[in-house]
């Protein structure tokens, strides 16, 4: 049974509609004929065995990969090829499977960097640290501190991220993505390599982000317990084909899913 | 014991984000500026000013420029001397064509031209990284040296290729003696260091460091790699161009391509590496190490041996000791002298208590 109250937010509005995606690298077919709808405010988990095309799917959603066939609609409008740095401006943020923090900076600076797209660039004002240059640093610091409070990382805000333990780094990376104030948050294995407590913390943050900010979340995760507990909907991929799509309970009992995970006996 | 921030509570983000948030650092900075602007001019002789301090400051500025590019934005460049040459020649040419232009305006023009050339030669950085980019910037070094040697227009058709820098006057004062030159260079360097420090702690500096540390993630959070890298090339080359103009006008008194050869590029790269990548103080520490240490060794060498060994042997020993020092410091702290200084400060915060 999902931990979340399903009736809290009405999850009907589709913010991303992916129709009939075909993606291949040379001769290798990564995704074939996958259709997927992402509904506003939901937590959607994408699962599947290794090499099933989960990460490719996430990259299609975030716009890094442009599929050879198929249509991606973002908020009702067809999305064509976009520059990687424009994805964030559309309201899509992501974290990475292997932590991709800025190692030379502190936790606070990493989170502030996440707010760069919301800041204005002005070489002279920033050089003099006057006017806009100074004002925006202070305003955005306030926002960054809100995220720090939310993620309970006050004590490490000025620690260089390279010195932080793994679980904390994952948390800072989530903070950096949240700093963008995204509508759609993509999490690539947010709990990989964590111990039970760290996983519980991370689950709580994911649910809180979803509830407090109303952020739509798409995540890839291998821990079935986590997936079944926190997601509203689960999509199962196998060999680049969508084999199931529905609530955790429904997906768990589908024969195809059991076959994919346990092998056909 | 004395370097302690306990009890210094910051009650606003403004105070926490000040350029020097710790009180003792503020005092130290003021003391150092007073020392540079008052004590040194009072006590230093012309030899020290003209032959040691002014070159040191001018090369510090170049190292600061390279540190913006390599230390903050993570783009390796071996074309520093070329950008310095552009600054020197552009300043000179502007003054030759329009003699009534004040030299400071000419310097700015030199910096701007260097920035333009830097951005142009920074274009390959959009596709290549690391050592490959370093080789690509070598092209700038060779091309620009060749350009200024073979096209007489740049040297105003002087027969020797070596030109005397025009005299400098500022608000009616002639800048011709070591003391006035020292003040000029020191002021420019201090202002530039302040600007770079401000950039480093602002949105632009964070974008640079993001590109340096993890370019894929930087792109994913909406940083335009092209603009950010080219801005780093522009700012870096501007500072290098300014340093080049100072080097030619103030240090050498002549404008010549030979002063900006590849050895100079390497010298400045070493300064940045030894001093510490990604810090303002690193540029100064590195330049100090590369310029002051050999002089110190030289004096020590003649003092210790007292003329019993030939000067030639002493010179060789100096090189060996200098090389040993470089290796020693790079092993002790690969992140440079600035990092060593920072670790020292962190330890000082606790001293003499263990925790």
């Amino acid at each position: 049974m999902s931990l979340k109250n399903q009736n809290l937010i009405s999850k009907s509005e589709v913010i991303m509609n992916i129709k009939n995606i075909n993606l291949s690298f040379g001769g290798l077919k990564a995704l074939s004929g996958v259709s997927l709808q992402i509904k506003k405010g939901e937590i959607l988990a994408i699962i599947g065995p290794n090499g099933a095309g989960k990460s490719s799917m996430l990259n299609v959603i975030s716009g890094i990969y442009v599929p050879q066939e198929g249509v991606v609609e973002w908020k009702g409008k067809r999305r064509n090829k976009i520059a990687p740095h424009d994805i964030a401006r559309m309201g899509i943020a992501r974290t990475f499977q292997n932590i991709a923090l800025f190692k030379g900076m502190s936790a606070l600076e990493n989170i502030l960097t996440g707010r760069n797209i919301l800041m204005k660039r002005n070489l002279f004002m920033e050089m003099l640290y006057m006017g806009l240059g100074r004002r925006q640093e202070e305003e955005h610091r306030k926002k960054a501190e809100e995220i720090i409070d939310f993620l309970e990382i006050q004590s490490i805000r000025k620690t260089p991220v390279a010195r932080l333990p793994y679980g904390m780094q994952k948390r800072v990376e989530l903070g950096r993505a949240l700093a963008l104030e995204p509508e759609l948050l993509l999490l690539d294995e947010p709990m990989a390599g964590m111990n039970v407590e760290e996983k519980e913390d991370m689950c709580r943050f994911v649910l809180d982000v979803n509830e407090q900010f109303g952020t739509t979340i798409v995540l890839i995760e291998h821990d079935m317990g986590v997936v079944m507990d926190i997601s509203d909907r689960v999509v199962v991929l196998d060999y680049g084909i969508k084999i199931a799509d529905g609530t955790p309970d429904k997906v768990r009992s589908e024969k195809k899913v059991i076959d994919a995970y346990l092998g056909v006996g | 014991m004395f370097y302690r921030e306990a009890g210094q509570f910051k009650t606003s983000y403004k105070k926490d984000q000040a350029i020097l948030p710790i009180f003792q650092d503020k005092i130290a900075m003021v003391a150092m500026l007073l020392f540079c602007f008052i004590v040194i001019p009072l006590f230093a002789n012309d030899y020290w000013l003209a032959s040691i301090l002014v070159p040191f400051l001018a090369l510090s500025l170049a190292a600061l420029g390279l540190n913006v590019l390599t230390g903050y934005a993570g783009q390796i460049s071996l074309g520093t001397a070329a950008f310095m040459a552009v600054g020197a020649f552009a300043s000179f040419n502007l003054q030759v064509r329009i003699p009534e232009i004040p030299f400071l305006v000419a310097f700015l023009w030199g910096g701007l031209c260097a920035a333009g050339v830097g951005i142009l030669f920074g274009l390959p950085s959009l596709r290549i990284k690391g050592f490959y980019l370093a080789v690509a910037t070598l092209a700038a070094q060779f091309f620009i040296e060749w350009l200024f040697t073979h096209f007489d227009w740049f040297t105003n058709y002087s027969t020797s290729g070596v030109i005397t820098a025009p005299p400098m006057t500022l608000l009616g004062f002639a800048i011709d003696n070591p003391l006035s030159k020292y003040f000029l260079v020191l002021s420019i360097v201090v202002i530039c260091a302040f600007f770079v420090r401000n950039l480093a702690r602002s949105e632009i500096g964070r974008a640079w460091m993001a590109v340096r540390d993890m370019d894929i993630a930087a792109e994913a959070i909406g940083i335009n790699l092209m603009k950010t890298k080219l801005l780093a090339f522009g700012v870096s080359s501007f500072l290098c161009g300014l340093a080049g103009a100072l080097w030619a006008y103030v240090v050498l008194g002549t404008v010549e391509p030979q002063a900006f050869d590849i050895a100079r590029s390497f010298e400045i790269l070493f300064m940045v590496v030894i001093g510490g990548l990604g810090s303002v103080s690193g540029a100064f520490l590195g330049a100090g190490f590369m310029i002051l240490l050999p002089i110190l060794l030289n004096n020590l060498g003649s003092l210790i041996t007292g003329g019993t060994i030939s000067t030639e042997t002493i010179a060789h020993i100096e090189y060996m000791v200098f090389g040993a020092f470089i290796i020693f410091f790079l092993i002790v702290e690969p992140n440079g002298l600035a990092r060593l200084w920072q670790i020292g400060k962190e330890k000082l915060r606790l001293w003499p208590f263990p925790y």
Side-chain angles (χ1 to χ4, degrees):
Chain A
M1 189 51 208
S2 172
L3 289 176
K4 291 189 54 190
N5 184 351
Q6 302 279 345
N7 303 322
L8 210 67
I9 325 160
S10 85
K11 284 151 194 161
S12 52
E13 191 192 332
V14 174
I15 57 167
M16 188 177 272
N17 195 357
I18 298 164
K19 293 180 203 160
N20 224 354
I21 292 293
N22 276 313
L23 175 75
S24 52
F25 303 102
L28 181 78
K29 254 193 174 298
L31 296 169
S32 36
V34 178
S35 296
L36 181 67
Q37 291 188 329
I38 301 169
K39 291 175 188 140
K40 194 178 172 72
E42 73 174 346
I43 298 181
L44 171 70
I46 299 176
I47 63 170
N50 283 334
K54 301 183 296 293
S55 290
S56 299
M57 194 66 223
L58 208 66
N59 284 331
V60 167
I61 295 171
S62 72
I64 292 178
Y65 292 165
V66 179
Q68 280 86 0
E69 283 171 52
V71 177
V72 178
E73 283 176 1
W74 172 245
K75 292 186 184 167
K77 269 186 232 150
R78 189 188 167 131
R79 187 180 74 184
N80 296 314
K81 192 175 173 11
I82 44 168
H85 58 258
D86 284 331
I87 297 163
R89 284 195 169 74
M90 287 173 32
I92 301 177
R94 68 168 298 174
T95 64
F96 292 81
Q97 190 174 347
N98 308 313
I99 297 172
L101 284 171
F102 308 128
K103 293 233 156 49
M105 295 193 234
S106 68
L108 172 67
E109 283 171 321
N110 266 279
I111 291 169
L112 275 172
T113 313
R115 294 197 68 81
N116 265 26
I117 54 163
L118 303 165
M119 297 190 178
K120 290 193 182 69
R121 178 165 290 184
N122 185 321
L123 181 64
F124 291 99
M125 284 300 165
E126 291 184 44
M127 201 167 84
L128 297 166
Y129 208 75
M130 276 164 55
L132 172 82
R134 171 176 217 136
R135 225 172 28 246
Q136 72 175 3
E137 284 299 313
E138 281 153 21
E139 279 164 16
H140 288 271
R141 170 73 187 270
K142 198 164 166 247
K143 295 276 183 189
E145 288 291 340
E146 283 169 17
I147 292 165
I148 287 173
D149 284 347
F150 178 79
L151 294 173
E152 297 161 17
I153 49 175
Q154 294 91 336
S155 59
I156 55 149
R157 61 160 77 79
K158 294 212 171 156
T159 314
V161 289
R163 278 193 220 164
L164 294 175
Y166 182 82
M168 280 294 178
Q169 293 195 1
K170 282 266 185 192
R171 220 187 269 188
V172 175
E173 204 187 8
L174 176 64
R176 187 181 65 190
L178 287 179
L180 300 162
E181 297 179 5
E183 278 179 71
L184 176 60
L185 179 61
L186 310 175
L187 306 173
D188 197 346
E189 302 202 15
M191 286 105 183
M194 288 185 167
N195 64 30
V196 178
E197 283 162 36
E198 286 171 332
K199 273 184 190 176
E200 281 173 358
D201 280 346
M202 190 52 101
C203 282
R204 191 160 50 83
F205 290 130
V206 170
L207 289 171
D208 283 353
V209 167
N210 179 249
E211 257 168 45
Q212 288 190 19
F213 309 132
T215 312
T216 312
I217 295 171
V218 175
L219 60 95
I220 293 177
E221 187 47 58
H222 280 297
D223 188 321
M224 279 307 131
V226 167
V227 170
M228 296 300 162
D229 275 351
I230 68 170
S231 39
D232 299 312
R233 201 154 62 91
V234 180
V235 167
V236 189
L237 294 177
D238 191 27
Y239 294 110
I241 298 165
K242 187 166 93 168
I243 58 171
D245 184 347
T247 59
D249 287 332
K250 188 183 153 221
V251 164
R252 190 158 27 189
S253 55
E254 280 210 22
K255 187 173 180 304
K256 274 187 186 172
V257 179
I258 298 168
D259 286 349
Y261 270 90
L262 301 176
V264 187
Chain B
M1 195 72 176
F2 307 104
Y3 188 72
R4 181 141 310 162
E5 52 183 302
Q8 296 179 32
F9 300 113
K10 284 117 192 168
T11 47
S12 67
Y13 296 136
K14 188 176 168 179
K15 278 185 193 156
D16 195 42
Q17 300 194 151
I19 189 160
L20 297 165
I22 299 173
F23 180 67
Q24 284 89 338
D25 281 345
K26 268 182 209 144
I27 301 264
M29 181 52 75
V30 170
M32 203 175 72
L33 287 178
L34 286 178
F35 181 77
C36 292
F37 275 99
I38 296 171
V39 180
I40 287 183
L42 278 178
F43 294 101
N45 57 25
D46 279 2
Y47 166 73
W48 264 86
L49 288 173
S51 310
I52 298 172
L53 291 172
V54 169
F56 159 71
L57 287 169
L59 289 185
S60 298
L61 185 61
L64 188 67
L66 184 62
N67 216 341
V68 164
L69 186 64
T70 307
Y72 285 110
Q75 311 296 310
I76 302 175
S77 163
L78 289 175
T80 318
F83 303 137
M84 289 173 73
V86 172
F89 276 89
S91 308
F92 166 73
N93 273 292
L94 184 69
Q95 283 207 304
V96 167
R97 317 293 155 189
I98 315 167
E100 55 272 18
I101 286 269
F103 76 95
L104 276 180
V105 176
F107 282 10
L108 275 181
W109 169 249
L112 288 175
C113 287
V117 174
I119 289 172
L120 193 68
F121 280 97
L123 285 173
S125 75
L126 307 180
R127 297 309 292 255
I128 51 178
K129 299 185 216 180
F131 289 117
Y132 303 95
L133 178 62
V135 174
T137 54
L138 262 184
Q141 179 64 44
F142 289 119
F143 173 74
I144 285 166
E145 236 185 293
W146 172 83
L147 188 73
F148 289 148
T149 331
H150 288 82
F151 286 83
D152 293 339
W153 183 82
F154 290 109
T155 47
N156 201 25
Y157 304 102
S158 131
T159 42
S160 63
V162 176
I163 20 183
T164 312
M168 296 173 287
T169 46
L170 187 65
L171 306 169
F173 293 102
I175 296 181
D176 49 5
N177 59 332
L179 190 64
S180 56
K181 285 179 177 176
Y182 171 76
F183 275 121
L184 173 75
V185 180
L186 182 67
S187 311
I188 292 177
V189 170
V190 166
I191 292 170
C192 288
F194 176 69
F195 286 166
V196 171
R197 184 76 197 91
N198 279 342
L199 280 182
R201 66 195 176 118
S202 297
E203 176 264 348
I204 291 177
R206 283 193 299 271
W208 284 341
M209 289 188 273
V211 170
R212 173 194 69 188
D213 288 344
M214 191 65 74
D215 50 358
I216 300 169
E219 223 170 13
I221 59 169
I223 290 170
N224 185 332
L225 295 189
M226 181 182 82
K227 283 187 189 162
T228 308
K229 283 180 184 176
L230 292 184
L231 183 64
F233 268 97
V235 171
S236 160
S237 305
F238 177 86
L239 294 172
C240 290
L242 205 55
L246 288 177
W247 188 255
Y249 273 63
V250 183
V251 178
L252 300 179
T254 57
V255 185
E256 51 182 330
Q258 288 76 24
F260 304 104
D261 59 357
I262 183 137
R264 178 81 59 215
S265 282
F266 277 116
E267 188 186 12
I268 291 160
L269 183 66
F270 294 157
M271 286 176 185
V272 175
V273 172
I274 293 170
L277 290 164
S279 78
V280 171
S281 56
F284 293 94
L285 291 172
F289 185 91
M290 294 291 286
I291 293 171
L292 301 182
L293 192 65
I295 295 167
L296 190 76
L297 287 177
N298 185 296
N299 289 339
L300 265 180
S302 18
L303 202 72
I304 291 169
T305 53
T308 50
I309 308 175
S310 74
T311 47
E312 211 172 295
T313 318
I314 292 177
H316 287 306
I317 293 173
E318 273 166 35
Y319 276 122
M320 281 150 59
V321 174
F322 185 55
F325 264 112
I326 293 180
I327 295 169
F328 173 75
F329 277 110
L330 286 183
I331 290 175
V332 170
E333 186 48 68
N335 296 323
L337 299 173
R339 181 81 190 107
L340 216 56
W341 172 245
Q342 204 188 341
I343 292 173
K345 282 210 296 192
E346 273 171 29
K347 293 216 166 120
L348 211 58
R349 280 166 66 177
L350 301 175
W351 187 84
F353 305 110
Y355 301 110

